[in-house]
């Protein structure tokens, strides 16, 4: 009964929203919350495992723990004797981990020759209450469910407050350039602003009526949320459509705000910040005094160069959608993407993983959630990102707050990322291997998607098509690719909306690339790793 389910969901969400909108957190309280969470890490982890896994018979982790012959008592003993991270490493060695594809319900878990079927919903936290479900599964039944859970939103806020305070940007007049539901970045930023008493004064959305039709329930949810806030006297802005090629409108907001109020802040994705800065450069607008909080993609030197050229500054943020914010830029960084890890809410270990199609291994990140408000129960879950964990004294306020670990050189090795949109790699494989050969000829070995960065720093997804395949109009190939993405799932349709505007896809008539070992991978997302300046990313094998 989808209608009844939706009705129940709205009621729960609006009920929670009323309470949420009346609540605020001071900086002092945020510091105390983080301090307490850091002290209670192990106890919080054990509580979540006890209740969310051993107390939940449908938990997909139970078969893994059974195979590892591990009971709750064993985990408790291990944590007390050897600490949290060592326990997680032992569990991983015993097969208790989940790959990103498994976590998304796109592949069954296979451990010790046993196949354990799993679906993405299986990882949902069974104890969530006031959530709004932004995105439902697509026709393949393998879409992404992303919930806005108000308790989770509140739990992330102290991290955001402390990190923003470290950069002196917490209370600056703020503008958002984020999509509307089912993309939940915009609405979450709006709601979070309530908690620390700095509601964004402007919200631009790259999702417009012309390029995307959100489901009715998403439109209702956006309206309900904004109206609920306004009834309570909160100045929630309505989202104003601004497509990627209208970035100058956002630059004008910054120019006017800088003149009227002084320093201000824009929260958006990395590439969209680049677009704003290119528009500002074209119109000769000086953005000194403007700060960006950017995420969604690695802030590469080319992208960052375009931002800082305008006089603006930036702070990177790093998210794992299902877990929330993972890290935020150090206030005295050694490079563009030097992040402090939020270990009060998450635990992180690394494991060497062979990159598909390349003869290299990377130190993949494997996450565990610690707080009861987590939307998904996450126990040693890979998110297809890798990087370095570094303990270093930087002297910035984040260190003082207890965030001693730095994350460096964070990259993704299996996800398609561009313009702040991320897609599970397997989502596009069917198109490359089946749809395109059937429509334009050739075999699955004649098509390959390569992630590259162009001269201006924008991420491009180049579709290599073997010159042997006769194609009359390359635009038709891209059109087919986009249309198929739109049909695949809600998440893929959102990606299509942005990538179509950004002209992210391009066709190159060259033979697909094979590895030295003679392997062929339809997706090559690691070109950058193989460039000479990124040699350090490799683990020597
Ligand atoms: Zn720092």
């Amino acid at each position: 009964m989808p209608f009844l389910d939706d009705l129940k969901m709205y009621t729960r969400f609006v009920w929670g929203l009323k309470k949420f909108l009346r609540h605020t957190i001071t900086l002092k309280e945020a510091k105390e919350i983080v301090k307490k969470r850091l002290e209670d890490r192990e106890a919080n982890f054990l509580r979540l495992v006890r209740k969310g896994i051993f107390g939940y018979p449908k938990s997909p982790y139970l078969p893994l723990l059974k195979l590892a012959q591990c009971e709750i008592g064993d985990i408790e003993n291990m944590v007390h004797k050897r600490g949290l991270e060592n326990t997680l490493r032992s569990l991983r060695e015993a097969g208790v981990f989940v790959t990103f594809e498994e976590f998304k319900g796109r592949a069954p878990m296979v451990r010790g020759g046993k196949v354990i079927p799993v679906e993405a919903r299986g990882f949902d936290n069974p104890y969530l209450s006031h959530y709004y479900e932004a995105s439902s599964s697509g026709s393949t039944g393998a879409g992404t469910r992303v919930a806005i859970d108000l308790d989770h939103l509140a739990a992330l806020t102290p991290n955001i407050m402390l990190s923003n305070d470290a950069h002196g940007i917490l209370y600056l007049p703020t503008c958002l350039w984020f999509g509307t539901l089912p993309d939940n970045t915009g609405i979450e930023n709006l709601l979070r602003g309530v908690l620390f008493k700095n509601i964004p004064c402007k919200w631009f959305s790259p999702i417009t009526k012309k390029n995307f039709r959100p489901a009715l329930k998403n439109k209702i949810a956006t309206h309900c949320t904004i109206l609920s806030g306004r009834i309570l006297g909160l100045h929630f802005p309505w989202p104003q459509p601004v497509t990627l090629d209208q970035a100058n409108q956002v630059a004008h907001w910054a120019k006017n705000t800088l003149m009227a109020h002084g320093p201000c802040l824009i929260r958006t994705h990395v590439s969209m910040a680049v677009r704003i800065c290119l528009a500002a450069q074209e119109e000769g607008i000086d953005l000194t005094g403007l700060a960006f909080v950017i995420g969604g993609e690695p802030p590469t030197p080319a992208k960052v160069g375009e931002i800082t050229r305008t006089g603006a500054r930036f702070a990177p943020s790093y998210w794992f959608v299902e877990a929330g914010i993972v890290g935020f830029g150090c206030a005295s960084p050694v490079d563009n993407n030097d992040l402090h890890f939020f270990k009060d809410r998450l635990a992180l270990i690394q494991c060497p993983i062979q990159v598909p199609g390349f003869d290299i291994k990377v130190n993949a990140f494997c996450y565990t959630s610690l707080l009861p408000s987590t939307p998904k129960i996450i126990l040693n879950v890979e998110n297809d990102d890798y990087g370095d964990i570094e303990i270093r004294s930087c002297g910035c306020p984040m260190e003082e707050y207890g965030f001693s670990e730095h994350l460096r050189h964070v990259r993704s090795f299996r996800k398609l990322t561009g313009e702040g949109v991320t897609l599970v790699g397997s989502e596009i494989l069917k198109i490359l291997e089946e749809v395109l050969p059937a429509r334009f000829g050739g075999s699955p070995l004649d098509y390959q998607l390569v992630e590259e960065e162009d001269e201006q720093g924008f991420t491009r997804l180049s579709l290599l098509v073997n010159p042997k395949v006769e194609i009359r109009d390359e635009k038709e190939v891209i059109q087919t690719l986009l249309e198929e993405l739109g049909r695949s799932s809600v998440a893929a349709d959102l990606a299509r909306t942005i990538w179509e505007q950004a002209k992210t896809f391009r066709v190159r008539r060259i033979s697909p690339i094979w590895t030295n070992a003679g392997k062929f991978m339809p997706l090559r997302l690691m070109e950058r790793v193989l460039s000479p300046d990124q040699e350090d990313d490799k683990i020597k094998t």
Side-chain angles (χ1 to χ4, degrees):
M1 294 289 274
F3 174 74
L4 270 184
D5 284 349
D6 278 359
L7 194 69
K8 266 194 245 165
M9 178 182 78
Y10 282 131
T11 317
R12 270 198 308 252
F13 183 69
V14 171
W15 186 252
L17 192 62
K18 263 172 64 185
K19 199 175 133 215
F20 179 95
L21 293 174
R22 291 199 169 94
H23 181 59
T24 56
I25 306 174
T26 63
L27 192 59
K28 189 168 168 258
E29 284 165 341
K31 287 177 193 171
E32 279 160 13
I33 292 168
V34 165
K35 189 166 172 262
K36 179 94 179 70
R37 293 200 300 218
L38 285 168
E39 284 164 8
D40 295 345
R41 279 182 96 224
E42 294 183 352
N44 284 343
F45 166 74
L46 290 173
R47 179 177 54 175
L48 200 63
V49 171
R50 204 178 301 119
K51 213 175 159 203
I53 298 177
F54 285 94
Y56 179 51
K58 284 197 264 176
S59 170
Y61 295 106
L62 284 177
L64 300 181
L65 288 157
K66 202 176 162 196
L67 277 172
Q69 298 181 326
C70 192
E71 294 291 333
I72 180 70
D74 303 320
I75 298 180
E76 282 168 346
N77 281 339
M78 261 198 284
V79 169
H80 292 142
K81 278 190 198 145
R82 304 174 51 206
L84 177 53
E85 275 72 15
N86 282 333
T87 301
L88 293 171
R89 282 183 200 107
S90 300
L91 287 172
R92 182 171 168 112
E93 277 162 28
V96 183
F97 68 94
V98 178
T99 68
F100 196 47
E101 296 278 321
E102 292 162 356
F103 188 60
K104 292 279 188 183
R106 299 189 144 263
M109 301 195 282
V110 183
R111 303 286 186 280
K114 241 188 123 183
V115 180
I116 307 160
V118 65
E119 52 179 297
R121 274 179 182 269
F123 296 99
D124 289 354
N125 184 344
Y127 303 103
L128 286 191
S129 52
H130 303 124
Y131 71 85
Y132 169 74
E133 200 174 309
S135 163
S136 61
S137 58
S139 53
T140 56
T144 320
R145 173 191 180 275
V146 177
I148 297 182
D149 177 74
L150 296 172
D151 292 339
H152 177 57
L153 207 64
L156 305 186
T157 304
N159 291 147
I160 289 169
M161 289 177 73
L162 296 194
S163 51
N164 283 214
D165 178 60
H167 287 261
I169 55 177
L170 182 58
Y171 297 116
L172 294 184
T174 303
C175 160
L176 309 176
W177 194 17
F178 284 130
T180 46
L181 291 169
D183 174 355
N184 52 7
T185 34
I187 206 98
E188 287 195 356
N189 268 282
L190 213 58
L191 292 173
R192 212 177 284 119
V194 175
L195 293 183
F196 57 84
K197 286 192 174 174
N198 184 15
I199 297 170
C201 40
K202 196 84 186 164
W203 177 10
F204 297 113
S205 166
I207 295 177
T208 67
K209 272 187 200 152
K210 255 200 255 162
N211 57 33
F212 189 84
R213 279 181 203 285
L216 183 65
K217 69 169 181 180
N218 288 324
K219 285 194 215 163
I220 297 176
T222 306
H223 274 72
C224 274
T225 307
I226 293 178
L227 283 177
S228 304
R230 290 192 162 201
I231 288 167
L232 292 175
L234 303 169
H235 296 285
F236 277 167
W238 290 103
Q240 184 183 325
V242 168
T243 52
L244 298 189
D245 55 6
Q246 295 170 325
N248 65 333
Q249 292 192 28
V250 190
H252 285 169
W253 174 87
K255 182 185 163 189
N256 296 336
T257 310
L258 285 168
M259 278 200 307
H261 303 282
C264 57
L265 174 71
I266 295 177
R267 296 182 193 273
T268 190
H269 299 303
V270 178
S271 293
M272 284 157 78
V274 173
R275 282 172 198 281
I276 296 165
C277 292
L278 286 173
Q281 286 174 47
E282 243 171 60
E283 298 191 20
I285 300 172
D286 179 3
L287 293 179
T288 305
L290 171 68
F292 283 100
V293 169
I294 47 177
E297 297 154 83
T300 57
K303 290 186 175 82
V304 164
E306 296 294 351
I307 295 173
T308 49
R309 196 164 298 150
T310 60
R313 62 190 176 115
F314 74 97
S317 62
Y318 170 44
W319 295 72
F320 168 13
V321 174
E322 286 81 0
I325 192 162
V326 172
F328 198 92
C330 171
S332 55
V334 292
D335 62 19
N336 292 331
N337 205 18
D338 181 1
L339 304 149
H340 280 276
F341 171 59
F342 293 132
K343 66 173 181 182
D344 59 324
R345 290 181 14 260
L346 297 163
L348 174 62
I349 59 167
Q350 290 170 297
C351 41
I353 281 188
Q354 179 84 38
V355 178
F358 290 88
D359 303 324
I360 55 169
K361 281 187 174 180
V362 290
N363 267 326
F365 288 158
C366 206
Y367 291 95
T368 297
S369 53
L370 305 178
L371 297 184
S373 56
T374 182
K376 298 265 181 187
I377 305 284
I378 297 175
L379 174 60
N380 276 344
V381 172
E382 294 164 10
N383 71 339
D384 285 359
D385 284 346
Y386 70 99
D388 303 324
I389 304 173
E390 209 175 81
I391 298 184
R392 190 183 81 243
S393 176
C394 59
C396 98
M398 303 270 283
E399 183 183 17
E400 202 183 301
Y401 298 142
F403 300 120
S404 45
E405 277 94 348
H406 290 243
L407 303 182
R408 306 274 317 279
H409 309 121
V410 178
R411 304 272 174 155
S412 166
F413 62 89
R414 211 159 15 197
K415 284 178 294 190
L416 284 168
T417 311
E419 304 288 335
V421 186
T422 300
L423 208 56
V424 189
S426 62
E427 193 124 24
I428 209 158
L429 284 184
K430 189 173 168 268
I431 305 175
L432 294 175
E433 295 185 330
E434 294 173 32
V435 178
L436 295 181
R439 171 89 192 267
F440 298 99
S443 76
L445 301 183
D446 292 319
Y447 298 87
Q448 189 176 46
L449 203 60
V450 180
E451 197 185 54
E452 298 171 310
E453 200 169 57
D454 73 9
E455 316 69 49
Q456 280 181 310
F458 289 115
T459 302
R460 297 278 169 235
L461 298 172
S462 299
L463 180 67
L464 311 192
V465 184
N466 196 318
K468 280 193 307 194
V469 181
E470 281 177 34
I471 287 173
R472 265 179 300 135
D473 185 0
E474 290 176 2
K475 280 192 204 123
E476 242 181 81
V477 184
I478 291 181
Q479 203 49 41
T480 308
L481 194 62
L482 289 167
E483 281 168 14
E484 286 298 321
L485 265 184
R487 273 196 274 270
S488 174
S489 71
V490 176
D493 195 22
L494 266 179
R496 178 210 43 92
T497 311
I498 300 299
W499 290 344
E500 191 168 16
Q501 284 186 54
K503 298 186 177 60
T504 300
F505 287 112
R506 61 183 177 188
V507 171
R508 286 174 60 197
R509 300 306 310 268
I510 56 169
S511 297
I513 306 156
W514 290 64
T515 67
N516 294 338
K519 286 186 210 146
F520 177 79
M521 291 302 293
L523 283 175
R524 283 178 73 92
L525 308 179
M526 298 290 290
E527 296 307 299
R528 56 191 175 234
V529 174
L530 298 180
S531 65
D533 60 323
Q534 295 287 339
E535 283 290 314
D536 290 351
D537 285 7
K538 293 188 207 174
I539 301 173
K540 302 283 179 271
T541 49

